[in-house]
Amino acid sequence: MTVGEKQTRTGAPPEVLDGPFSTRQLLRIDEALRLADKGTGLVFSVYVGGLDEPIREHAQRLHRQLAEPDKSVLIAVSPNQRQLEIVTGRYARKRIPDTYAKLAALSMVAAFGGGDLAGGIIQGLDQLASHAGKA
C-alpha cells in the first residue's frame, strides 16, 4: 500500500512493498529510532531509496519536509547509488556537530560495505544518539 492509497474493504492487511529489509530488521530499526528519539529529545528519521542529483540537496529537501526540521536528524541512504547523507537541523546540529556525524557515517559505511544495511543504520542511530546525549 502506498501513501494516499485506500485500503481494500476485505479486511485483509495492506500489502507491503518489497524492500531491502526483513520484518525483523524493520522492527529493529523502528526500535532504534524510538530509543534515539526518547533518549535525546531529538527526532530521528531514516530514508532509504533513490536520491536525485545533487544528492546533498535532495537529502536537505527531505529533511525540510519533516515535522520539526530544527530538532530533526535525517539519515538518507541510497544503497543502489552507494550514497549516504546525514542532515541535522539547527538545534540538532548543536548537539551533534558535523565531526560526530561524519564518525557515525564512517561506521555506517563500514557496515554497509559488509552487506549489513540494517545493522549499519541501527549502529549509526545509536552513535548519533550517544553523541547527542540527554535532552
Side-chain angles (χ1 to χ4, degrees), residues 39-90:
T40 64
L42 298 175
V43 180
F44 288 83
S45 298
V46 174
Y47 170 86
V48 177
L51 293 164
D52 298 332
E53 294 286 342
I55 302 291
R56 180 71 182 174
E57 288 179 19
H58 186 189
Q60 289 171 328
R61 280 194 312 274
L62 291 170
H63 181 265
R64 284 192 300 270
Q65 293 174 8
L66 297 173
E68 299 179 81
D70 283 344
K71 64 181 248 181
S72 293
V73 178
L74 172 68
I75 297 173
V77 183
S78 178
N80 292 339
Q81 294 169 290
R82 302 178 66 93
Q83 295 290 325
L84 166 68
E85 290 289 339
I86 299 174
V87 183
T88 52
R90 188 176 329 147

Side-chain angles (χ1 to χ4, degrees), residues 16 34 48-49 73 82 90 93 96 107 114 135:
V16 177
R34 190 186 64 74
V48 177
V73 178
R82 302 178 66 93
R90 188 176 329 147
R93 192 172 306 115
I96 306 172
S107 165

